[in-house]
Amino acid sequence: MKKIVVYSVWSFLVMSACKSDKLPAVAPDIKTEKTLNDTDDPAIWVNPIDASKSIVFGTDKETNGAVYAFDLQGKIIASKTIKNIKRPNNVDLAYGFKLNDSLKTDVLLFTEREKNQIRMFSVPAMSPLDNGGFKVFEDEGNSAFTYPMGISLYSSPKDGTLYAIVGRKSGPELGYLYQYKISADTLGVVKSSLVRKFGKFSGKKEIEAIAVDSELGFVYYSDEQHGIRKYHAEPTMGDEELSCFGGALFQEDIEGIALARYKDGTGYIIVSDQQKGQFNIFSRTTNEFIKAVNLSTLETDGCDVVTVPLNATFKNGLFVAMNDEKDFFFYDLAKLGLERQ
């Protein structure tokens, strides 16, 4: 009995110390309606005609999973929600994908882990463009290394080519990420083709979160218990790692990455410090640490951000973070205390 009491007191002291080390919590402006299973990763689509009708997409990762669509009040938009997805993990979107010489559409792509593929839908029509899905990691000999998890899209400033950079649940120490060219033929049939394999892995846990800075041409990803790795996003620029930073600042898992981008090239890289329940913020231009914020989320996996005004609630932009209670939290970007650089 004495051992149990001593252990309980010690546990309480450790937990109290961890809690006291956290920054004051910032409450969200909006909490979304609950999903069915387990939220994971969001992506924000800004409506180019009426920003107040923008949509936040969020994955719900399970065998009977879905990609939920939410309005800016956090209400589920049933008509835009994609259901019956076999464990969707991460999601991203791109604007102005060229289907043919006269037709462009915004697109949403996400991983479907249990089918070893990525999916692609038009936005906001939510029509499938992938003929059921694009298979990934097909040349991988180790079956344990074939399950996709992370995804981020790169729109090349050079020629407008759209690429999907895809990570996996487990992988090798080199070539953890695969980069696929997404293109449409003259008949408007969309295809995926592998263009390169790149990216180091520490081997400590896994890699999920990926974010691409299309304007500056960089891809960042979270080697979860090692650091934030940085590479060129353009395939022709080479596969050498440019830097690995921030690892010592995180309590345990380095998770979701969101890029707050401004047209002058400045901005922020916002990364989830999952077990501590905070976000570490770095400079977009120098990658130097700026500060941490506690946004009151639990065990955040994915996050996303836009820097344009959307409505009266999100007049400075919108930051969205997954919360481990089957929902997502929405914040006006000013709540993060970030000034435009």
Side-chain angles (χ1 to χ4, degrees):
M1 180 64 71
K2 289 181 179 179
K3 289 182 179 180
I4 295 174
V5 171
V6 170
Y7 179 79
S8 299
V9 171
W10 173 250
S11 298
F12 174 78
L13 291 173
V14 170
M15 291 176 65
S16 298
C18 290
K19 287 181 179 178
S20 64
D21 190 39
K22 290 182 68 173
L23 298 167
V26 177
D29 294 289
I30 298 288
K31 295 182 181 181
T32 68
E33 294 181 327
K34 304 287 186 181
T35 66
L36 181 62
N37 302 295
D38 182 15
T39 50
D40 191 76
D41 188 50
I44 306 165
W45 176 69
V46 178
N47 188 315
I49 299 173
D50 184 349
S52 69
K53 295 181 180 178
S54 297
I55 300 172
V56 176
F57 295 97
T59 58
D60 185 43
K61 58 177 182 182
E62 191 50 79
T63 295
N64 61 332
V67 179
Y68 281 80
F70 301 93
D71 62 23
L72 295 184
Q73 290 70 48
K75 304 297 183 183
I76 294 171
I77 309 172
S79 62
K80 305 295 182 185
T81 294
I82 307 167
K83 296 184 177 181
N84 300 314
I85 303 299
K86 300 298 183 181
R87 198 171 181 87
N89 261 110
N90 284 21
V91 61
D92 201 5
L93 56 85
Y95 297 86
F97 176 74
K98 189 175 181 180
L99 283 171
N100 55 48
D101 289 339
S102 60
L103 182 60
K104 292 183 178 181
T105 182
D106 300 340
V107 292
L108 184 82
L109 281 84
F110 55 90
T111 54
E112 188 173 20
R113 193 196 301 179
E114 292 181 8
K115 287 192 173 183
N116 301 95
Q117 64 182 12
I118 56 177
R119 300 298 314 274
M120 179 175 179
F121 287 74
S122 64
V123 181
M126 310 315 298
S127 301
L129 300 174
D130 55 12
N131 196 29
F134 303 129
K135 295 298 180 182
V136 291
F137 307 119
E138 290 183 285
D139 65 346
E140 175 58 68
N142 186 337
S143 60
F145 292 174
T146 62
Y147 298 105
M149 190 159 60
I151 187 172
S152 190
L153 303 181
Y154 169 54
S155 297
S156 173
K158 291 177 63 176
D159 55 14
T161 300
L162 179 65
Y163 297 95
I165 298 174
V166 186
R168 35 190 164 170
K169 179 64 177 174
S170 300
E173 292 183 2
L174 295 174
Y176 201 102
L177 305 182
Y178 278 26
Q179 184 164 353
Y180 296 90
K181 179 181 178 180
I182 309 297
S183 59
D185 62 20
T186 55
L187 298 177
V189 177
V190 183
K191 298 179 180 180
S192 168
S193 57
L194 178 64
V195 296
R196 70 163 171 163
K197 310 169 190 179
F198 72 101
K200 293 179 181 179
F201 173 47
S202 67
K204 294 178 182 177
K205 189 175 181 182
E206 64 187 22
I207 293 166
E208 179 177 8
I210 309 169
V212 175
D213 190 332
S214 288
E215 294 80 6
L216 299 186
F218 300 121
V219 54
Y220 299 90
Y221 65 88
S222 295
D223 191 338
E224 289 193 8
Q225 294 185 1
H226 182 74
I228 302 159
R229 298 187 184 270
K230 179 181 181 180
Y231 287 79
H232 287 295
E234 192 67 41
T236 58
M237 293 292 287
D239 301 338
E240 182 179 351
E241 182 171 273
L242 301 175
S243 67
C244 183
F245 61 93
L249 297 168
F250 292 81
Q251 179 172 308
E252 191 172 340
D253 288 355
I254 307 167
E255 282 282 355
I257 305 174
L259 292 169
R261 296 171 284 198
Y262 296 104
K263 290 182 179 180
D264 62 0
T266 62
Y268 303 94
I269 305 169
I270 306 166
V271 187
S272 171
D273 189 347
Q274 189 178 57
Q275 281 70 36
K276 195 167 186 178
Q278 296 184 173
F279 294 84
N280 289 327
I281 300 174
F282 303 84
S283 166
R284 181 190 181 196
T285 52
T286 67
N287 298 159
E288 293 178 354
F289 176 71
I290 296 174
K291 68 173 183 177
V293 292
N294 176 7
L295 299 180
S296 67
T297 57
L298 300 174
E299 294 279 327
T300 296
D301 280 314
C303 52
D304 197 17
V305 63
V306 294
T307 58
V308 296
L310 301 180
N311 61 11
T313 304
F314 306 112
K315 58 187 177 182
N316 297 288
L318 170 63
F319 180 77
V320 177
M322 164 265 179
N323 180 57
D324 198 25
E325 293 181 327
K326 301 181 181 182
D327 54 9
F328 294 90
F329 286 7
F330 295 179
Y331 308 81
D332 180 74
L333 189 53
K335 281 200 166 184
L336 277 66
L338 300 177
E339 295 181 0
R340 184 164 178 170
Q341 292 178 306

